[in-house]
Amino acid sequence: MTGRTKTSRSELARLGFAELSESLERLSALESRFGSDLPVSVGTWPALWSSTADPDGALRRLERLVETHPDALRPILDDQAATERMVRLLGASVGLGEFLQRRPAELDLLLAPATEPWTQAEYTDSLTQAVDGAVDEAARMRLRVRYRRHLAQIALYDVLHPSPTLAFPAVAAGLADLAGAALDVAVDVARREVPFPADQVAATPLSVIAMGKAGARELNYVSDVDVIFVTEPTDTVDTERAVRISTRIAIAATHVITDLAAEPALWEVDANLRPEGKDGALVRTLDSHVAYYERWAREWEFQALLKARPIAGSVDLGERYAAAVAPFVWRSSKRPGFVESVQRMRERVTDNIPDAEVDRQLKLGPGGLRDVEFTVQLLQLVHGQDDESVRVRSTLEAMDALTEAGYVGRPEAARFGPDYALLRVLEHRIQLRRLQRTHLMPVDEDELRVLARSSGLATGAAALETRWRSVKLEVRGLHERLFYRPLLSAVAASDGGIVLTSTQARDRLGAIGFVDPDGALRHIRALTQGTSRRAAIQRNLLPVLLRWMAEGPAPDRALLAFRKLSDTLGESSWFLRMLRDSSGAAHSLTTVLSESAFLSGLLERFPEAVAWLDEPDTLLVPRPIASLLSEVRATTARHGDDVAAAASLLRSVRRRETLRLGMAATLGRLDVDQLGPALSDITEATLTGALDLARRDAPDGLEFGVIAMGRYGGRELGFGSDADVLYVYRADGVPPEAASRAAQGIVRELSRLTEDTIYPFDLDIDLRPEGGNGPVVRTLESYGAYYARWSLTWEAQALLRARGTVGDDALLRDFEHLADRTRYPASIAEREVREVRRIKARVESERLPRGADPARHLKLGRGSLSDVEWFVQLLQLQYALRVPALRTTSTLDALDGAVAEGLVAPEDGERLAAAWRFASRTRSALVLWSGKTTDVLPVDRTQLEGVARLMEYPPGSASQLEEDYLGVTRRARQVFEREFYGTV
């Protein structure tokens, strides 16, 4: 090239061009056409191109306009200001470039200076004038062309504004007003098109209610417009006729906006927020809407109504609709579980994002626009019930109102506005690029570069990516900063101008699930007041901790327990450091405190156990039995002269290790198959230490043993399980009477030394020969004689779980050999099988507590633990002598052996095992939740919810837990009745 336009590739690169060779050729072609007076010369007007989002694209689209519409373009190129507007618009929007290409008559819009968007009334007048009474295809084309002309004008204002984030509120409001005008004119067109008498159509009111971003006047460039249609009868049109006519008008108006036509559709009209959603009537009367919201609406529907405003059609009817539904909106936060349901809805939105899109979502992803909007709406709904000043629709206006009223701190609000505006500007520029509805950040580096230049938020792709991710991280913390931190202002002076009164704080605490907001405020005050380092750290931590507590099933319990822990450990440097530096440990602590009264109580005795949460992989695992035995033996050896002190330490070890397992189970680090053996090991270690103390004065030559029975024998203990045992002794050189007295003394000492009022340790000996009438301890020979001569079938059945566990090894092994002769008979007579079945039926009818629902009893109910255990034990009595796999004290191991041997069908085995595991997990979860031993699945929804959370169900799963338990036990019962009783 020659003359003033001679340009190098390096200069083009400096100005932001990427397609250097192609753009040089285009510039050369344009100069050949226009000569040295080319108005868009890079050489004479470099600033034009350096300020353009996509110089290559703008030049490419300009070349097409020159080629196809030179005459229409000439006035633009003759006007320097118009030329700049054209290039900037073409560089920002491929979609609007295509619009000008197919509608060259609209190029003259570039001759007028860019101004702030008009009012809805002004847009309505313009669109009405353009349509000029037309219908069908002509109306659609005229409306859409004029709409896009105004859209281009709004885009020009946006693109040319020196600060896109400051321009955003006006742009979003203008887009909403333009959409409202389009709907208003579309309704007018529809009234001319529907096949009803003109007088009836004119007499039928229809109001279009904008929801979502349209209702808030913060619409995107390309967005579904959420609406609700409302009508009502009049003096000349009854209800049925009004609904019928207005429904046809609503459908026709939607088609005006969305039908295929010469000019493309504008956007989707989405009426799915109406009562009953897609299944509900498209149009309802005002009275029908009110009746629905009074009786049937769910929490999310009230949140959606927060943005509702009349946007088209009958203004009077629309305003009456808004006034009628407003009370439902502002009362909604009083509904039980409201905040929890709103938060769950937000989580569901995130969970439904495709995995490939989560990291690029501007709108729905973590740190995206929805995080901001949900938080602001939640605050409005909680405080708007009493404070009308926060009842506004726009997100930014709502934030200003919340800040002015003192519900949000000014430092937080100062970050909120820029963050939200930045995300919205990115969303706008991405959509403006091709006039397509999308909320995904580009992946392509060239597209990111264009977005950076278009938004003015960064100098290049990498810088924009960095800035966006920084804002995402900040936004993710908004919920804690905006919702929870102001709670502290109710009890302590704080910075930022937050002035949350006690009443307002109580409202907020009650909304998030605290049953006793006054008590919660007292705890917060106690934790945060003062100038100590502890109080300062607590003030920083509590907003996050309160959120986590509120997400649990018992926030009041969690806060009280946390206060007690803090009172005990508050000055400990490691405790404060762990809370401050380990979010994982702090979150785990709130989970434990909220979900388990049992563990909260034990933590009061062992507050230092909180440190385990900081190293869960090594400290929240069951200790090996060898390690436990080593500790208890060292304890008894060290304190042998002080039996009371030694026994106290043994009880302490048992509580501590049970606490370890409870914390691991609550946090999902220990399943039921691991829990049983681990609790059995703790029991064995405790009894080992206690026996060492109890037999300290026993005569030499006296062997003593503890035989584990029942679930302890099967290594299947749960939290709160009794330890079923038998006691056996053997004397070598000790007179029988002296040996008997010594053995009974050992039994009494075992009971005394293990007695624990804090965490009861029940040694149950009811499975001994002759039951409650038999001696508490026998010699091995006495057991042998009894079982050989007098043993009943139930006693042989009980021995199936017998396992030598504590005491003299030789005696324990000899007892097991003796038991084998009784529990593994060569054969079992049919009358004995009938006797087992008879006793089981009797247990079901007589031992079930009065009034207990058989379907809900975890131990004795239908399809529960006893069904599975009796079924397996009958198989063991029948086949264990010839099937080695059945010679085990473990219920599930024996069941697996029966399946492997073909005695039980695999599907039946899976059903029985599933029911046994489910019932076992539920029993332990009930103890953890309540701190009490119970065998009945609760009916109370709060208790069920707590148990469900412990069993790793998501929030709000009380009914699902109930359904799952009843289902799994029903299926197990079917197997049991068929295979045990022989019924079909």
Side-chain angles (χ1 to χ4, degrees), residues 7-15 17 20-22 24-25:
T7 305
S8 67
R9 287 182 174 84
S10 61
E11 185 176 0
L12 288 184
R14 183 176 58 80
L15 296 176
F17 287 86
L20 303 181
S21 298
E22 295 88 339
L24 277 174
E25 290 177 6

Side-chain angles (χ1 to χ4, degrees), residues 215-530:
R217 295 186 73 233
E218 49 189 21
L219 200 61
N220 293 326
Y221 276 100
V222 185
S223 176
D224 290 356
V225 175
D226 297 309
V227 298
I228 286 177
F229 295 107
V230 190
T231 190
E232 65 179 354
T234 65
D235 293 339
T236 58
V237 182
D238 63 24
T239 298
E240 182 179 355
R241 188 68 169 170
V243 170
R244 185 179 178 191
I245 293 173
S246 57
T247 299
R248 292 294 295 272
I249 294 172
I251 292 172
T254 300
H255 287 321
V256 171
I257 301 292
T258 63
D259 268 354
L260 287 174
E263 181 66 19
L266 298 182
W267 19 259
E268 289 296 318
V269 178
D270 189 341
N272 289 333
L273 292 178
R274 66 186 184 270
E276 300 180 80
K278 294 179 180 178
D279 298 326
L282 180 64
V283 181
R284 290 175 182 252
T285 64
L286 176 55
D287 288 344
S288 176
H289 277 280
V290 171
Y292 174 82
Y293 291 123
E294 283 179 337
R295 297 189 61 187
W296 307 111
R298 291 173 290 177
E299 282 79 2
W300 68 264
E301 292 179 278
F302 297 121
Q303 186 180 1
L305 286 172
L306 182 64
K307 307 291 188 183
R309 72 177 175 96
I311 195 175
S314 171
V315 175
D316 172 67
L317 176 57
E319 289 177 345
R320 284 188 285 118
Y321 171 91
V325 301
F328 298 113
V329 175
W330 304 115
R331 290 198 303 262
S332 61
S333 67
K334 292 293 189 184
R335 292 163 67 106
F338 170 78
V339 171
E340 183 184 41
S341 69
V342 171
Q343 290 170 334
R344 282 205 306 273
M345 181 168 68
R346 173 68 187 106
E347 291 163 6
R348 285 196 296 271
V349 168
T350 303
D351 292 342
N352 289 331
I353 303 172
D355 292 342
E357 295 183 4
V358 171
D359 194 47
R360 312 301 298 179
Q361 260 282 355
L362 274 168
K363 178 180 179 181
L364 305 178
L369 292 163
R370 274 291 186 268
D371 277 351
V372 175
E373 293 160 357
F374 264 72
T375 298
V376 172
Q377 290 167 25
L378 197 55
L379 287 169
Q380 285 183 273
L381 291 168
V382 169
H383 295 294
Q385 57 186 319
D386 300 315
D387 189 344
E388 293 185 5
S389 71
V390 302
R391 298 181 183 180
V392 295
R393 298 184 178 95
S394 159
T395 302
L396 287 176
E397 290 176 1
M399 190 61 184
D400 289 342
L402 289 164
T403 305
E404 190 64 29
Y407 301 119
V408 171
R410 296 191 185 280
E412 286 80 14
R415 287 307 315 143
F416 169 91
D419 285 349
Y420 184 69
L422 182 145
L423 292 173
R424 290 299 307 273
V425 166
L426 288 175
E427 184 182 44
H428 275 192
R429 291 295 198 269
I430 292 168
Q431 294 185 352
L432 180 61
R433 177 83 166 137
R434 291 183 173 81
L435 290 186
Q436 292 178 350
R437 181 175 179 268
T438 179
H439 308 284
L440 296 178
M441 279 289 281
V443 177
D444 180 76
E445 186 172 351
D446 286 340
E447 288 295 321
L448 279 171
R449 175 182 57 81
V450 171
L451 179 58
R453 291 169 61 91
S454 174
S455 63
L457 298 173
T459 56
L464 179 65
E465 183 92 10
T466 299
R467 186 170 182 187
W468 169 55
R469 293 197 178 279
S470 174
V471 168
K472 280 180 64 177
L473 287 174
E474 187 164 71
V475 167
R476 289 197 69 176
L478 275 175
H479 192 69
E480 290 84 6
R481 296 206 301 277
L482 298 183
F483 195 91
Y484 292 92
R485 190 172 299 281
L487 290 169
L488 307 188
S489 70
V491 297
S494 59
D495 60 1
I498 308 174
V499 191
L500 207 61
T501 67
S502 294
T503 299
Q504 293 161 349
R506 279 196 298 272
D507 287 343
R508 201 175 290 195
L509 286 164
I512 61 178
F514 282 87
V515 177
D516 180 15
D518 289 320
L521 282 176
R522 287 194 297 272
H523 299 321
I524 295 171
R525 180 179 295 112
L527 287 163
T528 58
Q529 281 188 334

Side-chain angles (χ1 to χ4, degrees), residues 28 59 68 117 213 228 344 456 539 583 710 742 775 791 834 892 907:
S28 177
L59 184 59
T68 55
K213 283 186 166 58
I228 286 177
R344 282 205 306 273
R539 283 193 290 271
S583 61
S791 173
R834 288 197 299 271
L892 294 184
E907 182 180 355

